[in-house]
Amino acid sequence: MMLEHILVLSAYLFSIGIYGLITSQNMVRALMCLELILNAVNINFVTFSDFFDSRQLKGNIFSIFVIAIAAAEVAIGSAIVSSIYRTRKSTRINQSTLLNK
């Protein structure tokens, strides 16, 4: 595949993630859009690592670290969302008033 095609795919995923993150009212959807953004960044890391320097795997290794951080973010984020749902019975962002007590 050509470099431009992969970069367009990555930009498309990043744009969908940003749009979803800005417009979503559900916390779970916002976390999923954040994962889309991180996956778009990972695609860029792997693509540029393969395109510019295929002998050294710096982009691939950095991508693995980003995946590990994303996995931790999903675990912590889903725990927070489930805790908020248990107390508030809603996962809508605009209805969350945890700091107003």
Side-chain angles (χ1 to χ4, degrees):
M1 250 176 139
M2 294 176 55
L3 178 66
E4 293 85 15
H5 294 136
I6 298 173
L7 293 180
V8 166
L9 171 69
S10 178
Y12 185 65
L13 283 175
F14 192 82
S15 300
I16 291 173
I18 289 291
Y19 176 75
L21 194 62
I22 290 171
T23 61
S24 70
Q25 295 180 356
N26 191 347
M27 290 182 202
V28 177
R29 186 180 302 156
L31 285 173
M32 289 172 57
C33 291
L34 188 61
E35 290 297 318
L36 270 178
I37 293 170
L38 290 174
N39 285 331
V41 171
N42 282 338
I43 289 172
N44 277 335
F45 283 148
V46 172
T47 301
F48 283 123
S49 174
D50 187 47
F51 187 74
F52 289 118
D53 194 11
S54 61
R55 287 186 177 191
Q56 295 179 352
L57 301 174
K58 292 178 184 175
N60 295 349
I61 292 171
F62 198 70
S63 178
I64 291 172
F65 283 124
V66 171
I67 290 171
I69 290 171
E73 176 256 334
V74 165
I76 292 171
S78 61
I80 291 171
V81 168
S82 67
S83 174
I84 289 172
Y85 180 75
R86 250 186 268 134
T87 58
R88 305 286 181 181
K89 300 297 185 219
S90 174
T91 60
R92 297 180 62 86
I93 293 174
N94 57 359
Q95 292 178 352
S96 179
T97 57
L98 295 175
L99 297 178
N100 290 342
K101 286 188 174 186

